[in-house]
Amino acid sequence: LKLAGVDVEIVSGVGPVVAEPVRTASDVDRLTTHQLGDTSAISDAIALITAELATTPSGPATWTPLIGFAGAPFTLAAYLVEGRPSRDHLAARAMMHADPASWHRLLAWCAEVSGAFLTVQVDAGASAVQLFDSWAGSLWRADYVDHVAPHSRAALDAVAGRVPRLHFGTGTGHLLTEMAIGADAVGVDYRTPLDEAAALLPGVPLQGNIDPAL
Protein backbone atom coordinates (compact mmCIF):
# COMPACT_ATOMS: atom_id res chain seq x y z
CA LEU A 1 0.00 0.00 0.00
CA LYS A 2 2.83 2.38 0.81
CA LEU A 3 4.38 1.83 -2.62
CA ALA A 4 0.98 2.69 -4.11
CA GLY A 5 0.99 6.07 -2.39
CA VAL A 6 -1.21 5.23 0.60
CA ASP A 7 -0.27 7.13 3.76
CA VAL A 8 0.20 4.14 6.08
CA GLU A 9 2.61 3.74 8.98
CA ILE A 10 3.46 0.77 11.17
CA VAL A 11 2.82 2.07 14.69
CA SER A 12 4.60 0.25 17.50
CA GLY A 13 2.17 -1.77 19.59
CA VAL A 14 -0.68 -1.11 17.16
CA GLY A 15 0.21 -2.20 13.63
CA PRO A 16 -0.59 -0.55 10.28
CA VAL A 17 -2.42 2.77 10.68
CA VAL A 18 -3.92 4.46 7.60
CA ALA A 19 -4.06 8.27 7.76
CA GLU A 20 -7.20 8.58 5.61
CA PRO A 21 -9.52 5.55 5.92
CA VAL A 22 -11.56 4.57 2.85
CA ARG A 23 -15.24 4.74 3.82
CA THR A 24 -17.22 6.16 0.88
CA ALA A 25 -17.58 5.73 -2.88
CA SER A 26 -15.62 8.96 -3.40
CA ASP A 27 -12.85 7.63 -1.15
CA VAL A 28 -12.67 4.54 -3.36
CA ASP A 29 -12.59 6.76 -6.46
CA ARG A 30 -9.64 8.66 -4.99
CA LEU A 31 -7.75 5.54 -3.99
CA THR A 32 -8.14 3.59 -7.20
CA THR A 33 -6.28 6.23 -9.20
CA HIS A 34 -3.11 5.10 -7.38
CA GLN A 35 -0.70 2.56 -8.84
CA LEU A 36 2.54 1.04 -7.59
CA GLY A 37 5.37 3.53 -7.72
CA ASP A 38 9.10 2.85 -7.63
CA THR A 39 9.61 -0.80 -6.68
CA SER A 40 13.38 -0.87 -7.14
CA ALA A 41 14.02 -1.21 -3.39
CA ILE A 42 12.06 -4.48 -3.41
CA SER A 43 13.83 -5.79 -6.51
CA ASP A 44 17.24 -4.82 -5.12
CA ALA A 45 16.52 -6.49 -1.78
CA ILE A 46 15.44 -9.73 -3.45
CA ALA A 47 18.56 -9.73 -5.63
CA LEU A 48 20.76 -9.38 -2.53
CA ILE A 49 18.88 -12.07 -0.61
CA THR A 50 18.83 -14.62 -3.43
CA ALA A 51 22.56 -14.09 -3.99
CA GLU A 52 23.22 -14.80 -0.29
CA LEU A 53 20.95 -17.85 -0.31
CA ALA A 54 22.88 -19.29 -3.23
CA THR A 55 26.35 -19.09 -1.62
CA THR A 56 28.27 -19.71 1.58
CA PRO A 57 31.69 -18.32 2.60
CA SER A 58 33.26 -21.53 1.31
CA GLY A 59 31.41 -21.64 -1.99
CA PRO A 60 28.04 -22.60 -3.48
CA ALA A 61 25.41 -23.78 -1.01
CA THR A 62 22.42 -26.02 -1.40
CA TRP A 63 19.85 -23.86 -3.16
CA THR A 64 17.38 -22.22 -0.77
CA PRO A 65 14.17 -20.73 -2.13
CA LEU A 66 12.94 -17.25 -1.31
CA ILE A 67 9.17 -16.93 -0.88
CA GLY A 68 7.65 -13.65 -2.02
CA PHE A 69 4.76 -12.19 -0.08
CA ALA A 70 1.73 -9.94 -0.50
CA GLY A 71 -1.30 -9.08 1.58
CA ALA A 72 -4.54 -10.52 0.24
CA PRO A 73 -7.22 -8.12 -1.04
CA PHE A 74 -9.55 -8.53 1.96
CA THR A 75 -6.79 -7.90 4.48
CA LEU A 76 -5.62 -4.80 2.60
CA ALA A 77 -9.21 -3.55 2.34
CA ALA A 78 -9.82 -4.22 6.04
CA TYR A 79 -6.87 -2.00 6.97
CA LEU A 80 -7.92 0.66 4.46
CA VAL A 81 -11.52 0.84 5.67
CA GLU A 82 -10.92 0.40 9.40
CA GLY A 83 -7.85 2.64 9.38
CA ARG A 84 -6.02 0.29 11.77
CA PRO A 85 -6.15 -3.30 13.04
CA SER A 86 -9.61 -4.37 14.16
CA ARG A 87 -10.92 -7.38 16.04
CA ASP A 88 -14.18 -7.80 14.09
CA HIS A 89 -13.78 -5.56 11.00
CA LEU A 90 -17.27 -4.16 11.37
CA ALA A 91 -16.65 -1.11 9.18
CA ALA A 92 -15.21 -3.22 6.36
CA ARG A 93 -17.98 -5.81 6.54
CA ALA A 94 -20.62 -3.08 6.74
CA MET A 95 -19.26 -1.45 3.58
CA MET A 96 -19.28 -4.86 1.87
CA HIS A 97 -23.06 -5.10 2.37
CA ALA A 98 -24.11 -1.44 2.28
CA ASP A 99 -22.24 -0.49 -0.91
CA PRO A 100 -21.22 -3.68 -2.73
CA ALA A 101 -20.33 -1.79 -5.93
CA SER A 102 -17.75 0.33 -4.12
CA TRP A 103 -16.58 -2.70 -2.18
CA HIS A 104 -15.85 -4.68 -5.34
CA ARG A 105 -14.05 -1.72 -6.91
CA LEU A 106 -11.92 -1.45 -3.76
CA LEU A 107 -11.15 -5.19 -3.73
CA ALA A 108 -10.36 -5.17 -7.46
CA TRP A 109 -7.84 -2.39 -6.87
CA CYS A 110 -6.32 -4.25 -3.92
CA ALA A 111 -6.02 -7.37 -6.08
CA GLU A 112 -4.33 -5.38 -8.83
CA VAL A 113 -1.81 -3.88 -6.41
CA SER A 114 -1.11 -7.24 -4.71
CA GLY A 115 -0.73 -8.98 -8.06
CA ALA A 116 1.65 -6.30 -9.28
CA PHE A 117 3.66 -6.56 -6.05
CA LEU A 118 3.93 -10.34 -6.44
CA THR A 119 5.00 -9.87 -10.06
CA VAL A 120 7.81 -7.51 -9.03
CA GLN A 121 9.08 -10.12 -6.59
CA VAL A 122 8.93 -12.98 -9.09
CA ASP A 123 10.66 -10.86 -11.74
CA ALA A 124 13.42 -10.18 -9.22
CA GLY A 125 13.98 -13.85 -8.41
CA ALA A 126 11.46 -15.04 -5.80
CA SER A 127 11.00 -18.80 -6.16
CA ALA A 128 7.41 -18.97 -4.86
CA VAL A 129 4.84 -16.50 -3.54
CA GLN A 130 2.36 -16.43 -0.69
CA LEU A 131 -0.86 -14.45 -0.58
CA PHE A 132 -1.51 -13.86 3.11
CA ASP A 133 -5.03 -13.14 4.40
CA SER A 134 -4.69 -12.15 8.05
CA TRP A 135 -8.35 -11.22 8.52
CA ALA A 136 -10.43 -13.43 6.20
CA GLY A 137 -11.21 -15.67 9.16
CA SER A 138 -13.67 -13.02 10.36
CA LEU A 139 -15.92 -13.77 7.37
CA TRP A 140 -18.53 -16.45 7.09
CA ARG A 141 -18.22 -18.62 4.01
CA ALA A 142 -20.98 -17.03 1.90
CA ASP A 143 -19.49 -13.56 2.26
CA TYR A 144 -16.03 -14.85 1.41
CA VAL A 145 -17.32 -16.65 -1.70
CA ASP A 146 -19.35 -13.69 -2.99
CA HIS A 147 -17.30 -10.68 -1.95
CA VAL A 148 -13.67 -11.75 -1.56
CA ALA A 149 -12.62 -15.01 -3.25
CA PRO A 150 -12.72 -13.75 -6.88
CA HIS A 151 -10.36 -10.91 -5.99
CA SER A 152 -7.89 -13.15 -4.18
CA ARG A 153 -7.82 -15.39 -7.24
CA ALA A 154 -7.16 -12.37 -9.44
CA ALA A 155 -4.14 -11.45 -7.33
CA LEU A 156 -2.77 -15.00 -7.60
CA ASP A 157 -3.49 -15.10 -11.33
CA ALA A 158 -0.91 -12.34 -11.85
CA VAL A 159 1.88 -14.90 -11.47
CA ALA A 160 0.06 -18.03 -12.63
CA GLY A 161 2.37 -20.58 -14.26
CA ARG A 162 5.53 -18.78 -13.18
CA VAL A 163 6.13 -19.97 -9.61
CA PRO A 164 4.24 -22.01 -7.01
CA ARG A 165 1.49 -19.92 -5.36
CA LEU A 166 0.60 -20.42 -1.69
CA HIS A 167 -2.65 -19.10 -0.26
CA PHE A 168 -2.71 -18.71 3.52
CA GLY A 169 -5.13 -17.24 6.02
CA THR A 170 -5.54 -17.25 9.79
CA GLY A 171 -8.70 -18.74 11.25
CA THR A 172 -9.76 -19.87 7.78
CA GLY A 173 -10.41 -23.57 8.31
CA HIS A 174 -13.99 -23.06 7.07
CA LEU A 175 -12.73 -21.41 3.87
CA LEU A 176 -10.01 -23.82 2.75
CA THR A 177 -11.87 -25.32 -0.20
CA GLU A 178 -12.43 -21.86 -1.66
CA MET A 179 -8.87 -20.72 -0.93
CA ALA A 180 -7.51 -23.72 -2.82
CA ILE A 181 -9.10 -22.58 -6.09
CA GLY A 182 -6.45 -20.78 -8.12
CA ALA A 183 -3.61 -21.68 -5.73
CA ASP A 184 -0.94 -24.36 -6.00
CA ALA A 185 -0.77 -24.98 -2.24
CA VAL A 186 -2.78 -23.92 0.80
CA GLY A 187 -1.47 -22.75 4.15
CA VAL A 188 -3.18 -24.13 7.24
CA ASP A 189 -2.99 -22.33 10.57
CA TYR A 190 -2.61 -24.12 13.90
CA ARG A 191 -6.36 -24.17 14.59
CA THR A 192 -7.03 -26.62 11.76
CA PRO A 193 -5.49 -30.11 12.14
CA LEU A 194 -3.57 -31.17 9.07
CA ASP A 195 -5.54 -34.41 8.73
CA GLU A 196 -8.80 -32.44 8.57
CA ALA A 197 -7.34 -30.06 5.98
CA ALA A 198 -6.04 -32.99 3.93
CA ALA A 199 -9.49 -34.61 3.98
CA LEU A 200 -11.02 -31.37 2.70
CA LEU A 201 -8.33 -30.87 0.04
CA PRO A 202 -7.27 -34.28 -1.31
CA GLY A 203 -4.14 -33.99 -3.42
CA VAL A 204 -3.53 -30.32 -2.56
CA PRO A 205 -0.11 -29.58 -1.01
CA LEU A 206 -0.46 -28.15 2.50
CA GLN A 207 1.88 -25.88 4.43
CA GLY A 208 2.09 -24.56 7.98
CA ASN A 209 -0.03 -25.69 10.97
CA ILE A 210 2.62 -25.08 13.67
CA ASP A 211 1.31 -23.29 16.78
CA PRO A 212 3.33 -20.05 17.16
CA ALA A 213 3.31 -20.58 20.94
CA LEU A 214 5.44 -23.69 20.45
Side-chain angles (χ1 to χ4, degrees):
L1 292 178
K2 201 170 187 69
L3 287 176
V6 176
D7 187 353
V8 56
E9 297 293 338
I10 307 297
V11 177
S12 178
V14 178
V17 175
V18 177
E20 298 181 31
V22 177
R23 299 283 174 80
T24 67
S26 60
D27 290 338
V28 175
D29 290 340
R30 168 179 51 80
L31 178 71
T32 54
T33 63
H34 293 219
Q35 300 295 324
L36 284 188
D38 181 7
T39 60
S40 60
I42 304 300
S43 300
D44 293 346
I46 290 175
L48 289 169
I49 294 166
T50 53
E52 288 195 17
L53 290 174
T55 60
T56 66
S58 59
T62 301
W63 176 76
T64 303
L66 177 70
I67 302 177
F69 171 93
F74 177 75
T75 286
L76 296 186
Y79 283 121
L80 286 165
V81 176
E82 302 287 344
R84 59 180 50 226
S86 165
R87 185 173 63 183
D88 49 22
H89 312 101
L90 278 177
R93 292 190 292 118
M95 181 182 183
M96 177 191 301
H97 294 291
D99 188 354
S102 293
W103 174 259
H104 282 289
R105 285 194 298 121
L106 173 60
L107 267 286
W109 180 85
C110 289
E112 181 181 346
V113 169
S114 286
F117 192 56
L118 292 175
T119 298
V120 167
Q121 295 171 78
V122 173
D123 288 346
S127 309
V129 295
Q130 182 181 78
L131 193 69
F132 195 111
D133 217 338
S134 303
W135 305 128
S138 67
L139 300 171
W140 71 308
R141 191 172 185 276
D143 280 349
Y144 182 81
V145 169
D146 292 340
H147 299 286
V148 175
H151 303 290
S152 292
R153 290 170 198 152
L156 288 168
D157 283 347
V159 291
R162 300 188 62 191
V163 295
R165 300 162 300 162
L166 310 167
H167 197 181
F168 177 73
T170 55
T172 50
H174 60 302
L175 304 176
L176 291 181
T177 55
E178 287 297 323
M179 294 177 69
I181 300 173
D184 301 302
V186 173
V188 181
D189 84 351
Y190 70 97
R191 284 158 284 203
T192 302
L194 279 178
D195 59 343
E196 293 182 12
L200 286 171
L201 303 172
V204 176
L206 302 177
Q207 178 233 11
N209 184 243
I210 298 175
D211 186 342
L214 302 177

